[in-house]
């Protein structure tokens, strides 16, 4: 893929610049009606897999955390989310 193609994908897929790779398992935390569907679909398009939810019982390659002001402490949520990522994941 050329650099031009890479930049075109970044403009059309909002997830392209986040470093997701094909085959990755991405766990989604905090999903609700207000989540960004275009980003979710972009992640699934790149990875070729559906996002897994909070009930996923294995480690993930990445976690996407939807956080809202009323959700409590952001630091706690981020620390909790990192425990769900495979130790060797980028």
């Amino acid at each position: 893929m050329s650099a031009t193609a890479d930049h075109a994908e970044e403009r059309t897929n909002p997830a392209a610049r986040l470093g997701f790779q094909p085959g990755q398992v991405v766990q989604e935390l905090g999903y609700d009606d207000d989540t960004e569907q275009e980003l979710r679909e972009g992640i699934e398009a790149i990875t070729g897999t559906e996002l897994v939810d909070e009930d996923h019982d294995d480690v993930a390659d990445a976690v996407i955390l939807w956080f809202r002001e009323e959700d409590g402490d952001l630091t706690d949520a981020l620390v909790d989310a990192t425990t769900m990522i495979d130790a060797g994941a980028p």
Side-chain angles (χ1 to χ4, degrees), residues 1 3 6 13 15-16 21 28 40 43-44 66 75-77 83 87:
M1 185 180 292
D6 287 341
N13 183 344
Q21 298 295 317
E28 179 178 42
R40 296 178 76 249
I43 294 168
E44 290 176 342
W66 301 105
T75 301
D76 288 343
T83 65

Side-chain angles (χ1 to χ4, degrees), residues 8-58:
E9 183 178 8
E10 288 177 7
R11 285 192 304 275
T12 59
N13 183 344
R17 296 193 300 169
L18 297 176
F20 294 104
Q21 298 295 317
Q24 285 184 320
V25 174
V26 180
Q27 186 171 27
E28 179 178 42
L29 305 174
Y31 173 82
D32 207 342
D33 295 338
D34 63 348
T35 56
E36 178 57 49
Q37 292 301 314
E38 187 177 352
L39 179 60
R40 296 178 76 249
E41 292 168 4
I43 294 168
E44 290 176 342
I46 292 170
T47 62
T49 60
E50 291 185 11
L51 300 174
V52 296
D53 63 15
E54 288 133 347
D55 296 329
H56 182 67
D57 61 354
D58 201 358

